[in-house]
Coordinates of all heavy atoms in Angstrom, one line a residue:
M6 N -19.0 -43.3 65.1 CA -20.3 -43.6 64.7 C -21.2 -42.5 65.3 O -21.1 -42.3 66.5 CB -20.7 -45.0 65.1 CG -22.1 -45.4 64.8 SD -22.2 -45.8 63.1 CE -23.8 -46.3 63.0
T7 N -22.0 -42.0 64.5 CA -23.0 -41.1 65.0 C -24.4 -41.4 64.6 O -24.7 -42.2 63.7 CB -22.7 -39.6 64.4 OG1 -22.8 -39.7 63.0 CG2 -21.3 -39.1 64.8
L8 N -25.3 -40.8 65.3 CA -26.7 -41.1 64.9 C -27.0 -40.6 63.5 O -26.5 -39.5 63.1 CB -27.7 -40.5 65.9 CG -27.6 -41.0 67.4 CD1 -28.5 -40.1 68.3 CD2 -28.1 -42.5 67.4
R9 N -27.8 -41.3 62.8 CA -28.1 -40.9 61.4 C -28.6 -39.5 61.2 O -28.3 -38.9 60.2 CB -29.0 -42.0 60.8 CG -28.3 -43.3 60.6 CD -29.2 -44.3 59.9 NE -28.7 -45.6 60.0 CZ -29.2 -46.5 60.7 NH1 -30.4 -46.4 61.3 NH2 -28.6 -47.8 60.8
Y10 N -29.4 -39.1 62.1 CA -30.0 -37.8 61.9 C -29.1 -36.7 62.0 O -29.3 -35.5 61.5 CB -31.1 -37.5 63.0 CG -30.6 -37.3 64.3 CD1 -30.2 -36.1 64.9 CD2 -30.5 -38.4 65.2 CE1 -29.7 -36.0 66.1 CE2 -30.0 -38.3 66.5 CZ -29.6 -37.1 67.0 OH -29.1 -36.9 68.2
R11 N -27.9 -36.9 62.5 CA -26.8 -35.8 62.6 C -26.4 -35.4 61.3 O -25.9 -34.3 61.0 CB -25.6 -36.3 63.4 CG -25.9 -36.4 64.9 CD -24.8 -36.8 65.7 NE -25.1 -37.0 67.1 CZ -24.5 -37.8 67.9 NH1 -23.3 -38.3 67.5 NH2 -24.9 -38.0 69.1
I12 N -26.5 -36.2 60.3 CA -26.1 -35.9 58.8 C -27.0 -34.6 58.5 O -26.5 -33.8 57.8 CB -26.5 -37.1 57.9 CG1 -25.6 -38.2 58.3 CG2 -26.4 -36.7 56.5 CD1 -25.9 -39.5 57.5
F13 N -28.2 -34.5 58.9 CA -29.1 -33.4 58.5 C -29.0 -32.2 59.5 O -29.3 -31.1 59.1 CB -30.6 -34.0 58.4 CG -30.7 -35.1 57.5 CD1 -30.8 -36.4 58.0 CD2 -30.5 -34.9 56.1 CE1 -30.9 -37.4 57.1 CE2 -30.6 -36.0 55.3 CZ -30.8 -37.3 55.7
V14 N -28.9 -32.5 60.8 CA -29.0 -31.4 61.8 C -27.7 -31.1 62.4 O -27.7 -30.1 63.3 CB -30.1 -31.8 62.8 CG1 -31.5 -31.9 62.2 CG2 -29.7 -32.9 63.6
G15 N -26.7 -31.8 62.2 CA -25.4 -31.6 63.0 C -25.4 -32.1 64.4 O -26.3 -32.9 64.7
E16 N -24.4 -31.8 65.1 CA -24.3 -32.3 66.5 C -25.4 -31.8 67.3 O -25.9 -30.7 67.2 CB -23.0 -31.9 67.1 CG -21.8 -32.6 66.5 CD -21.8 -34.1 66.8 OE1 -22.0 -34.5 67.8 OE2 -21.5 -34.8 65.8
S17 N -25.9 -32.7 68.1 CA -27.1 -32.3 69.0 C -26.6 -32.3 70.5 O -25.5 -32.7 70.8 CB -28.2 -33.3 68.9 OG -27.9 -34.6 69.3
K18 N -27.5 -31.8 71.3 CA -27.3 -31.8 72.7 C -27.5 -33.2 73.3 O -28.4 -34.0 72.8 CB -28.2 -30.7 73.4 CG -28.0 -29.4 72.8 CD -26.6 -28.8 73.1 CE -26.5 -27.4 72.6 NZ -25.3 -27.0 72.5
S19 N -26.9 -33.5 74.4 CA -27.0 -34.8 75.0 C -28.4 -35.1 75.4 O -29.0 -36.2 75.3 CB -26.1 -34.9 76.3 OG -26.2 -36.1 76.9
F20 N -29.2 -34.1 75.9 CA -30.5 -34.3 76.4 C -31.5 -34.7 75.2 O -32.4 -35.4 75.4 CB -31.1 -33.1 77.1 CG -31.4 -31.9 76.3 CD1 -32.7 -31.8 75.7 CD2 -30.5 -30.9 76.0 CE1 -33.0 -30.6 74.8 CE2 -30.8 -29.7 75.2 CZ -32.0 -29.7 74.7
I21 N -31.1 -34.3 74.0 CA -32.0 -34.7 72.8 C -31.7 -36.1 72.5 O -32.6 -36.9 72.3 CB -31.6 -33.8 71.6 CG1 -32.1 -32.3 71.9 CG2 -32.3 -34.4 70.3 CD1 -31.6 -31.4 70.8
E22 N -30.4 -36.6 72.6 CA -30.1 -37.9 72.3 C -30.7 -38.9 73.5 O -31.2 -39.9 73.1 CB -28.5 -38.2 72.3 CG -27.9 -37.4 71.2 CD -26.4 -37.3 71.3 OE1 -25.9 -37.3 72.5 OE2 -25.7 -37.1 70.3
D23 N -30.7 -38.4 74.6 CA -31.2 -39.2 75.7 C -32.8 -39.3 75.5 O -33.4 -40.4 75.7 CB -31.0 -38.6 77.1 CG -29.6 -38.6 77.5 OD1 -28.8 -39.5 76.9 OD2 -29.2 -37.9 78.3
Y24 N -33.4 -38.3 75.0 CA -34.9 -38.3 74.8 C -35.3 -39.2 73.6 O -36.3 -40.0 73.8 CB -35.3 -36.8 74.5 CG -36.8 -36.8 74.3 CD1 -37.7 -36.9 75.3 CD2 -37.4 -36.6 72.9 CE1 -39.1 -36.7 75.1 CE2 -38.7 -36.6 72.7 CZ -39.6 -36.6 73.8 OH -40.9 -36.6 73.6
I25 N -34.5 -39.2 72.6 CA -34.9 -40.0 71.5 C -34.5 -41.5 71.5 O -34.9 -42.3 70.8 CB -34.5 -39.4 70.1 CG1 -33.0 -39.4 70.0 CG2 -35.2 -38.1 69.9 CD1 -32.5 -39.1 68.6
S26 N -33.5 -41.8 72.4 CA -32.9 -43.1 72.4 C -33.9 -44.1 73.2 O -34.5 -43.8 74.2 CB -31.6 -43.1 73.2 OG -31.1 -44.4 73.3
S27 N -33.9 -45.3 72.6 CA -34.8 -46.3 73.2 C -33.9 -47.4 73.9 O -34.4 -48.5 74.2 CB -35.8 -46.9 72.2 OG -35.0 -47.6 71.2
L28 N -32.7 -47.2 74.1 CA -31.7 -48.2 74.6 C -32.1 -48.8 75.9 O -32.0 -50.1 76.1 CB -30.3 -47.7 74.6 CG -29.5 -47.7 73.3 CD1 -28.1 -47.1 73.5 CD2 -29.4 -49.0 72.8
D29 N -32.6 -48.0 76.7 CA -33.1 -48.6 78.1 C -34.2 -49.5 77.9 O -34.3 -50.5 78.5 CB -33.5 -47.4 79.0 CG -32.3 -46.7 79.5 OD1 -31.1 -47.2 79.5 OD2 -32.5 -45.4 79.9
F30 N -35.2 -49.2 77.1 CA -36.4 -50.1 76.8 C -35.9 -51.3 76.0 O -36.5 -52.4 76.1 CB -37.4 -49.3 76.0 CG -38.0 -48.1 76.7 CD1 -37.6 -46.8 76.3 CD2 -38.7 -48.2 77.9 CE1 -38.1 -45.7 77.0 CE2 -39.2 -47.2 78.6 CZ -38.9 -45.9 78.1
D31 N -34.9 -51.1 75.2 CA -34.4 -52.2 74.3 C -33.7 -53.4 75.1 O -33.5 -54.4 74.4 CB -33.5 -51.7 73.2 CG -34.3 -50.8 72.2 OD1 -35.5 -50.8 72.2 OD2 -33.6 -50.2 71.4
R32 N -33.4 -53.2 76.3 CA -32.7 -54.2 77.1 C -33.5 -55.6 77.0 O -32.9 -56.6 77.0 CB -32.5 -53.8 78.5 CG -31.3 -52.8 78.7 CD -31.1 -52.7 80.1 NE -30.0 -51.7 80.3 CZ -28.7 -52.1 80.4 NH1 -28.3 -53.4 80.4 NH2 -27.8 -51.1 80.6
K33 N -34.8 -55.5 77.0 CA -35.7 -56.6 76.9 C -35.7 -57.3 75.5 O -35.9 -58.5 75.4 CB -37.1 -56.2 77.2 CG -37.3 -55.6 78.5 CD -38.8 -55.2 78.7 CE -38.9 -53.8 78.3 NZ -40.1 -53.1 78.5
L34 N -35.3 -56.6 74.6 CA -35.2 -57.1 73.1 C -33.9 -57.5 72.6 O -33.9 -58.2 71.6 CB -35.8 -56.0 72.2 CG -37.2 -55.4 72.5 CD1 -37.5 -54.2 71.6 CD2 -38.3 -56.4 72.5
V35 N -32.8 -57.1 73.2 CA -31.5 -57.2 72.6 C -31.2 -58.6 72.2 O -30.7 -58.9 71.1 CB -30.4 -56.6 73.4 CG1 -30.3 -57.3 74.7 CG2 -29.1 -56.5 72.7
K36 N -31.5 -59.5 73.0 CA -31.2 -61.0 72.8 C -32.0 -61.4 71.5 O -31.5 -62.1 70.6 CB -31.6 -61.8 74.0 CG -31.5 -63.3 73.8 CD -31.6 -63.9 75.2 CE -32.5 -65.1 75.1 NZ -32.7 -65.8 76.4
Y37 N -33.2 -61.0 71.4 CA -34.1 -61.4 70.3 C -33.7 -60.7 69.0 O -33.7 -61.3 67.9 CB -35.6 -61.2 70.6 CG -35.9 -61.9 71.9 CD1 -36.1 -61.2 73.1 CD2 -36.0 -63.3 72.0 CE1 -36.4 -61.8 74.3 CE2 -36.2 -64.0 73.1 CZ -36.4 -63.2 74.3 OH -36.7 -63.9 75.5
V38 N -33.3 -59.5 69.1 CA -32.8 -58.8 67.9 C -31.5 -59.4 67.3 O -31.4 -59.6 66.2 CB -32.6 -57.3 68.2 CG1 -31.9 -56.6 67.0 CG2 -33.9 -56.6 68.6
A39 N -30.7 -59.8 68.3 CA -29.4 -60.5 67.9 C -29.7 -61.8 67.2 O -29.0 -62.2 66.2 CB -28.6 -60.7 69.1
M40 N -30.8 -62.5 67.7 CA -31.1 -63.9 67.1 C -31.5 -63.6 65.6 O -31.3 -64.4 64.7 CB -32.3 -64.5 67.9 CG -31.8 -65.1 69.2 SD -33.3 -65.7 70.0 CE -32.6 -66.2 71.6
V41 N -32.4 -62.6 65.4 CA -32.8 -62.2 64.1 C -31.6 -61.9 63.1 O -31.5 -62.3 62.0 CB -33.9 -61.1 64.0 CG1 -34.2 -60.6 62.7 CG2 -35.1 -61.5 64.8
M42 N -30.7 -61.1 63.7 CA -29.5 -60.7 62.9 C -28.6 -61.9 62.6 O -28.0 -62.0 61.6 CB -28.7 -59.7 63.6 CG -29.4 -58.3 63.6 SD -28.3 -57.0 64.3 CE -29.1 -55.6 63.7
L43 N -28.6 -62.8 63.6 CA -27.8 -64.0 63.4 C -28.4 -64.8 62.1 O -27.6 -65.3 61.2 CB -27.9 -64.9 64.6 CG -27.0 -66.1 64.7 CD1 -26.4 -66.1 66.2 CD2 -27.7 -67.4 64.5
A44 N -29.7 -64.9 62.0 CA -30.3 -65.5 60.9 C -30.0 -64.8 59.6 O -29.7 -65.4 58.6 CB -31.8 -65.7 61.1
H45 N -30.0 -63.5 59.7 CA -29.7 -62.7 58.5 C -28.2 -62.9 58.0 O -28.0 -63.0 56.9 CB -30.0 -61.2 58.8 CG -31.3 -60.8 58.8 ND1 -31.8 -59.6 59.2 CD2 -32.5 -61.5 58.5 CE1 -33.1 -59.5 59.2 NE2 -33.5 -60.7 58.7
V46 N -27.3 -62.9 59.0 CA -25.9 -63.2 58.6 C -25.8 -64.5 58.0 O -25.0 -64.7 56.9 CB -25.0 -63.1 59.9 CG1 -23.6 -63.5 59.5 CG2 -25.0 -61.6 60.3
R47 N -26.4 -65.5 58.4 CA -26.4 -66.9 57.8 C -26.9 -66.8 56.4 O -26.3 -67.4 55.5 CB -27.1 -67.9 58.7 CG -26.3 -68.3 59.9 CD -26.9 -69.3 60.7 NE -26.2 -69.8 61.8 CZ -26.7 -70.2 63.0 NH1 -28.0 -70.3 63.1 NH2 -25.8 -70.5 63.9
A48 N -28.0 -66.1 56.2 CA -28.6 -65.9 54.9 C -27.6 -65.2 53.9 O -27.5 -65.6 52.8 CB -30.0 -65.2 54.9
L49 N -27.0 -64.2 54.4 CA -26.1 -63.4 53.6 C -24.8 -64.3 53.1 O -24.4 -64.2 52.0 CB -25.5 -62.2 54.3 CG -26.5 -61.0 54.5 CD1 -26.0 -60.0 55.5 CD2 -26.9 -60.4 53.2
E50 N -24.4 -65.1 54.1 CA -23.3 -66.0 53.8 C -23.7 -67.0 52.8 O -23.0 -67.3 51.8 CB -22.8 -66.7 55.1 CG -21.6 -67.7 54.7 CD -21.2 -68.6 55.8 OE1 -21.7 -68.4 57.0 OE2 -20.6 -69.6 55.6
S51 N -24.9 -67.7 53.0 CA -25.3 -68.7 52.0 C -25.6 -68.2 50.7 O -25.6 -68.9 49.7 CB -26.5 -69.5 52.6 OG -27.7 -68.7 52.7
S52 N -25.9 -66.9 50.6 CA -26.3 -66.3 49.3 C -25.0 -65.7 48.7 O -25.0 -65.2 47.5 CB -27.2 -65.1 49.5 OG -28.4 -65.5 50.0
G53 N -23.8 -65.8 49.4 CA -22.6 -65.4 48.8 C -22.3 -63.9 48.9 O -21.3 -63.4 48.4
Y54 N -23.0 -63.2 49.7 CA -22.8 -61.7 49.9 C -21.7 -61.5 50.9 O -21.1 -60.3 50.8 CB -24.1 -61.0 50.4 CG -25.2 -60.9 49.3 CD1 -26.3 -61.7 49.3 CD2 -25.0 -60.0 48.2 CE1 -27.2 -61.7 48.3 CE2 -26.0 -59.9 47.2 CZ -27.0 -60.8 47.3 OH -28.0 -60.8 46.3
I55 N -21.5 -62.4 51.8 CA -20.3 -62.2 52.7 C -19.6 -63.5 52.8 O -20.1 -64.6 52.5 CB -20.7 -61.7 54.2 CG1 -21.6 -62.7 54.8 CG2 -21.3 -60.3 54.1 CD1 -22.0 -62.4 56.3
S56 N -18.3 -63.4 53.1 CA -17.5 -64.7 53.1 C -17.8 -65.4 54.4 O -18.3 -65.0 55.4 CB -16.0 -64.3 53.0 OG -15.6 -63.7 54.3
K57 N -17.3 -66.7 54.3 CA -17.4 -67.6 55.6 C -16.7 -67.0 56.7 O -17.2 -67.0 57.9 CB -17.0 -69.0 55.3 CG -17.2 -69.9 56.4 CD -16.9 -71.4 55.9 CE -16.9 -72.3 57.1 NZ -18.3 -72.8 57.4
A58 N -15.5 -66.4 56.5 CA -14.7 -65.9 57.6 C -15.4 -64.6 58.2 O -15.5 -64.5 59.5 CB -13.3 -65.4 57.0
Q59 N -16.0 -63.8 57.3 CA -16.7 -62.7 57.9 C -18.0 -63.1 58.6 O -18.3 -62.6 59.7 CB -17.2 -61.7 56.7 CG -16.2 -61.0 56.0 CD -16.6 -60.3 54.7 OE1 -17.4 -61.0 53.9 NE2 -16.2 -59.1 54.6
S60 N -18.6 -64.0 58.1 CA -19.8 -64.6 58.8 C -19.5 -65.2 60.1 O -20.2 -64.9 61.2 CB -20.5 -65.7 58.0 OG -21.5 -66.3 58.6
E61 N -18.4 -65.9 60.2 CA -18.0 -66.5 61.5 C -17.7 -65.5 62.6 O -18.1 -65.6 63.7 CB -16.8 -67.5 61.3 CG -17.2 -68.8 60.6 CD -16.0 -69.6 60.2 OE1 -14.8 -69.2 60.4 OE2 -16.3 -70.8 59.8
N62 N -17.0 -64.4 62.1 CA -16.6 -63.4 63.1 C -17.9 -62.7 63.6 O -18.0 -62.4 64.8 CB -15.7 -62.3 62.4 CG -14.4 -62.8 62.2 OD1 -13.9 -63.7 62.9 ND2 -13.7 -62.3 61.2
I63 N -18.8 -62.4 62.7 CA -20.1 -61.7 63.2 C -20.9 -62.6 64.0 O -21.4 -62.2 65.0 CB -20.9 -61.3 61.9 CG1 -20.1 -60.2 61.1 CG2 -22.2 -60.7 62.3 CD1 -20.6 -59.9 59.7
L64 N -21.0 -63.9 63.6 CA -21.8 -64.8 64.4 C -21.3 -65.1 65.7 O -22.1 -65.1 66.7 CB -21.9 -66.2 63.6 CG -22.7 -66.2 62.4 CD1 -22.6 -67.5 61.6 CD2 -24.1 -65.8 62.5
K65 N -20.0 -65.1 65.9 CA -19.3 -65.2 67.2 C -19.8 -64.1 68.1 O -20.1 -64.3 69.3 CB -17.8 -65.3 67.0 CG -17.1 -65.4 68.3 CD -15.5 -65.3 68.0 CE -14.8 -65.1 69.3 NZ -13.4 -64.8 69.1
E66 N -19.7 -62.9 67.6 CA -20.1 -61.7 68.4 C -21.6 -61.8 68.8 O -22.0 -61.5 69.9 CB -19.7 -60.4 67.8 CG -18.2 -60.2 67.6 CD -17.5 -60.1 69.0 OE1 -18.1 -59.5 69.9 OE2 -16.4 -60.6 69.2
L67 N -22.4 -62.1 67.8 CA -23.9 -62.2 68.1 C -24.2 -63.3 69.1 O -25.1 -63.0 70.0 CB -24.6 -62.4 66.8 CG -24.7 -61.2 65.8 CD1 -25.3 -61.6 64.5 CD2 -25.5 -60.0 66.4
I68 N -23.5 -64.3 69.1 CA -23.8 -65.5 70.0 C -23.4 -65.0 71.4 O -24.1 -65.3 72.4 CB -23.0 -66.8 69.5 CG1 -23.7 -67.3 68.3 CG2 -23.0 -67.8 70.7 CD1 -22.9 -68.4 67.6
E69 N -22.3 -64.3 71.5 CA -21.9 -63.8 72.8 C -23.0 -62.7 73.3 O -23.2 -62.8 74.5 CB -20.5 -63.1 72.7 CG -19.3 -64.0 72.8 CD -19.4 -64.9 74.0 OE1 -19.4 -64.3 75.1 OE2 -19.2 -66.1 73.8
V70 N -23.5 -61.9 72.5 CA -24.6 -61.0 72.9 C -25.8 -61.8 73.4 O -26.4 -61.5 74.5 CB -25.0 -60.1 71.7 CG1 -26.2 -59.3 72.1 CG2 -23.9 -59.1 71.5
I71 N -26.1 -62.9 72.7 CA -27.2 -63.8 73.2 C -27.0 -64.4 74.4 O -27.8 -64.4 75.3 CB -27.6 -64.8 72.0 CG1 -28.1 -64.0 70.8 CG2 -28.6 -65.8 72.5 CD1 -28.1 -64.8 69.4
K72 N -25.8 -65.0 74.5 CA -25.4 -65.7 75.7 C -25.5 -64.8 77.0 O -25.8 -65.3 78.1 CB -24.0 -66.4 75.6 CG -24.0 -67.6 74.8 CD -22.6 -68.1 74.8 CE -22.5 -69.4 74.0 NZ -21.1 -69.9 73.9
T73 N -25.0 -63.6 76.9 CA -25.0 -62.7 78.0 C -26.3 -61.9 78.1 O -26.4 -60.9 79.0 CB -23.9 -61.7 77.8 OG1 -24.0 -60.9 76.7 CG2 -22.5 -62.3 77.7
N74 N -27.2 -62.3 77.4 CA -28.6 -61.6 77.4 C -28.4 -60.1 77.2 O -29.2 -59.2 77.8 CB -29.3 -61.9 78.7 CG -30.8 -61.7 78.6 OD1 -31.4 -61.8 77.5 ND2 -31.5 -61.4 79.7
G75 N -27.5 -59.7 76.3 CA -27.3 -58.4 76.0 C -26.3 -57.6 76.8 O -25.9 -56.4 76.5
E76 N -25.9 -58.2 77.9 CA -25.0 -57.4 78.8 C -23.7 -57.0 78.1 O -23.1 -56.0 78.4 CB -24.8 -58.1 80.1 CG -26.0 -58.1 81.0 CD -26.6 -56.8 81.3 OE1 -25.8 -55.9 81.6 OE2 -27.8 -56.6 81.1
K77 N -23.2 -58.0 77.3 CA -21.9 -57.6 76.6 C -22.1 -56.4 75.8 O -21.2 -55.5 75.7 CB -21.5 -58.8 75.7 CG -20.2 -58.5 74.9 CD -19.7 -59.7 74.1 CE -18.5 -59.3 73.4 NZ -17.7 -60.3 72.7
I78 N -23.1 -56.2 75.0 CA -23.3 -55.0 74.1 C -23.5 -53.8 75.0 O -23.0 -52.7 74.6 CB -24.5 -55.3 73.1 CG1 -24.3 -54.4 72.0 CG2 -25.8 -55.0 73.7 CD1 -23.3 -54.8 71.0
Y79 N -24.2 -53.9 76.1 CA -24.3 -52.7 77.0 C -23.0 -52.3 77.6 O -22.7 -51.1 77.8 CB -25.5 -52.9 78.0 CG -26.8 -52.7 77.3 CD1 -27.5 -53.7 76.7 CD2 -27.4 -51.3 77.3 CE1 -28.7 -53.5 76.0 CE2 -28.6 -51.1 76.7 CZ -29.3 -52.1 76.1 OH -30.4 -51.9 75.4
R80 N -22.1 -53.2 77.9 CA -20.9 -52.9 78.5 C -20.0 -52.2 77.4 O -19.3 -51.2 77.6 CB -20.1 -54.2 79.0 CG -20.5 -54.7 80.3 CD -19.6 -55.7 80.9 NE -19.3 -56.8 80.0 CZ -20.1 -57.9 80.0 NH1 -21.2 -58.1 80.7 NH2 -19.7 -58.9 79.1
W81 N -20.1 -52.7 76.2 CA -19.4 -52.1 75.0 C -19.9 -50.6 74.8 O -19.1 -49.8 74.6 CB -19.7 -52.9 73.8 CG -19.0 -52.4 72.5 CD1 -17.7 -52.5 72.2 CD2 -19.5 -51.7 71.5 NE1 -17.4 -52.0 71.0 CE2 -18.5 -51.4 70.5 CE3 -20.8 -51.2 71.3 CZ2 -18.7 -50.7 69.4 CZ3 -21.0 -50.5 70.1 CH2 -20.0 -50.1 69.2
I82 N -21.2 -50.3 74.9 CA -21.7 -49.0 74.8 C -21.1 -48.1 75.8 O -20.7 -47.0 75.5 CB -23.3 -49.0 74.8 CG1 -23.8 -49.8 73.6 CG2 -23.8 -47.6 74.9 CD1 -25.3 -50.0 73.8
E83 N -21.1 -48.6 77.0 CA -20.5 -47.8 78.1 C -19.0 -47.5 78.0 O -18.5 -46.4 78.1 CB -20.7 -48.5 79.5 CG -22.2 -48.5 80.0 CD -22.4 -49.2 81.2 OE1 -21.4 -49.4 82.1 OE2 -23.5 -49.6 81.5
E84 N -18.3 -48.5 77.5 CA -16.8 -48.3 77.3 C -16.6 -47.4 76.2 O -15.7 -46.5 76.3 CB -16.2 -49.7 76.9 CG -16.1 -50.6 78.0 CD -15.6 -52.1 77.5 OE1 -15.3 -52.2 76.3 OE2 -15.7 -53.0 78.3
K85 N -17.4 -47.4 75.1 CA -17.2 -46.5 73.9 C -17.7 -45.1 74.1 O -17.4 -44.2 73.5 CB -17.8 -47.1 72.6 CG -17.2 -48.4 72.3 CD -15.7 -48.2 71.8 CE -15.2 -49.5 71.4 NZ -13.8 -49.4 71.0
K86 N -18.6 -45.0 75.1 CA -19.3 -43.7 75.4 C -19.8 -43.1 74.1 O -19.7 -41.8 73.8 CB -18.3 -42.8 76.0 CG -17.8 -43.3 77.4 CD -17.0 -42.3 78.1 CE -16.4 -42.7 79.4 NZ -16.9 -43.7 80.2
I87 N -20.6 -43.9 73.4 CA -21.2 -43.5 72.1 C -22.8 -43.5 72.5 O -23.2 -44.4 73.0 CB -20.9 -44.4 71.0 CG1 -19.4 -44.4 70.7 CG2 -21.6 -43.9 69.7 CD1 -18.9 -45.4 69.7
K88 N -23.5 -42.4 71.9 CA -24.9 -42.4 72.0 C -25.5 -43.2 70.7 O -25.0 -42.9 69.6 CB -25.3 -41.0 72.0 CG -24.9 -40.2 73.2 CD -25.7 -40.6 74.4 CE -25.4 -39.6 75.6 NZ -26.3 -39.6 76.6
F89 N -26.4 -44.0 71.0 CA -27.1 -44.7 69.9 C -28.6 -44.5 70.0 O -29.1 -44.3 71.1 CB -26.8 -46.2 69.9 CG -25.4 -46.5 69.6 CD1 -24.5 -46.8 70.6 CD2 -25.0 -46.6 68.3 CE1 -23.1 -47.1 70.3 CE2 -23.6 -47.0 68.0 CZ -22.8 -47.2 68.9
E90 N -29.3 -44.6 68.9 CA -30.8 -44.3 68.9 C -31.5 -45.5 69.4 O -32.4 -45.4 70.2 CB -31.2 -44.0 67.5 CG -32.7 -43.6 67.5 CD -33.0 -43.1 66.1 OE1 -32.1 -42.7 65.3 OE2 -34.3 -43.0 65.8
D91 N -31.0 -46.8 69.0 CA -31.7 -48.0 69.5 C -30.8 -49.2 69.4 O -29.6 -49.0 68.9 CB -33.0 -48.2 68.7 CG -32.8 -48.3 67.1 OD1 -31.7 -48.7 66.7 OD2 -33.7 -48.0 66.5
I92 N -31.2 -50.3 69.8 CA -30.4 -51.6 69.8 C -30.0 -52.0 68.4 O -28.9 -52.6 68.2 CB -31.0 -52.6 70.7 CG1 -29.9 -53.7 71.1 CG2 -32.2 -53.4 69.9 CD1 -28.8 -53.1 71.9
F93 N -30.9 -51.7 67.4 CA -30.5 -52.1 66.0 C -29.3 -51.4 65.6 O -28.5 -52.0 64.9 CB -31.8 -51.8 65.1 CG -33.0 -52.5 65.5 CD1 -34.0 -51.9 66.4 CD2 -33.2 -53.8 65.1 CE1 -35.2 -52.6 66.7 CE2 -34.4 -54.5 65.4 CZ -35.3 -53.9 66.2
E94 N -29.3 -50.1 65.8 CA -28.1 -49.3 65.4 C -26.8 -49.8 66.2 O -25.7 -49.9 65.5 CB -28.3 -47.8 65.7 CG -27.2 -46.9 65.3 CD -27.4 -45.4 65.5 OE1 -28.1 -45.2 66.5 OE2 -27.0 -44.7 64.7
V95 N -26.9 -50.2 67.4 CA -25.8 -50.7 68.1 C -25.2 -51.9 67.6 O -24.1 -52.1 67.3 CB -26.1 -50.9 69.6 CG1 -25.0 -51.6 70.4 CG2 -26.6 -49.6 70.3
L96 N -26.2 -52.9 67.3 CA -25.8 -54.2 66.7 C -25.2 -54.0 65.3 O -24.3 -54.8 65.0 CB -26.9 -55.2 66.8 CG -27.2 -55.7 68.2 CD1 -28.5 -56.5 68.2 CD2 -26.1 -56.5 68.7
E97 N -25.7 -53.1 64.5 CA -25.1 -52.9 63.2 C -23.7 -52.3 63.3 O -22.9 -52.6 62.5 CB -26.1 -51.9 62.5 CG -27.3 -52.5 62.0 CD -28.3 -51.5 61.5 OE1 -28.0 -50.3 61.4 OE2 -29.4 -52.0 61.2
S98 N -23.5 -51.6 64.4 CA -22.1 -51.0 64.6 C -21.2 -52.1 65.0 O -20.0 -52.1 64.6 CB -22.1 -49.9 65.7 OG -23.0 -48.9 65.3

């Protein structure tokens, strides 16, 4: 997974990624963003866009993110050593 802007400009330097990333600031928001995504997943399932099995897998992960107040997702980011622009991009991944 790469930042979307790389499609247009190619690989960037780490200091650019660090400058544009809001992940440090997003720590306060991650739990709430996951709650919103949880509602979206339920809506997608009830509308028939994703299966119940897909929904259950996604919801399980989002609930873990919420329960850990985002620490699970930040550990995952560290393990993967991937640069992300913001918490929305991380959760979509």
Side-chain angles (χ1 to χ4, degrees):
M6 180 76 180
T7 60
L8 294 173
R9 290 185 193 113
Y10 68 86
R11 289 185 186 156
I12 294 168
F13 304 106
V14 298
E16 289 298 314
S17 65
K18 303 293 183 198
S19 181
F20 71 90
I21 294 171
E22 294 167 339
D23 292 341
Y24 180 75
I25 65 168
S26 178
S27 64
L28 277 178
D29 289 338
F30 300 108
D31 291 349
R32 282 187 182 269
K33 299 176 269 191
L34 305 174
V35 65
K36 178 171 132 177
Y37 305 105
V38 173
M40 287 177 185
V41 171
M42 288 188 163
L43 194 135
H45 286 169
V46 170
R47 287 185 174 149
L49 289 170
E50 180 193 345
S51 68
S52 299
Y54 289 105
I55 62 175
S56 70
K57 183 173 176 82
Q59 290 170 314
S60 174
E61 286 175 355
N62 288 334
I63 297 167
L64 292 174
K65 178 183 168 191
E66 292 299 323
L67 288 172
I68 289 168
E69 281 300 309
V70 169
I71 294 165
K72 283 181 179 178
T73 64
N74 202 24
E76 289 307 311
K77 178 178 181 168
I78 202 79
Y79 279 90
R80 282 193 308 271
W81 181 79
I82 294 168
E83 287 177 25
E84 289 171 10
K85 296 295 181 184
K86 297 185 185 338
I87 301 173
K88 298 279 187 168
F89 290 99
E90 189 170 342
D91 56 29
I92 199 62
F93 298 96
E94 186 180 30
V95 176
L96 288 170
E97 288 169 2
S98 294

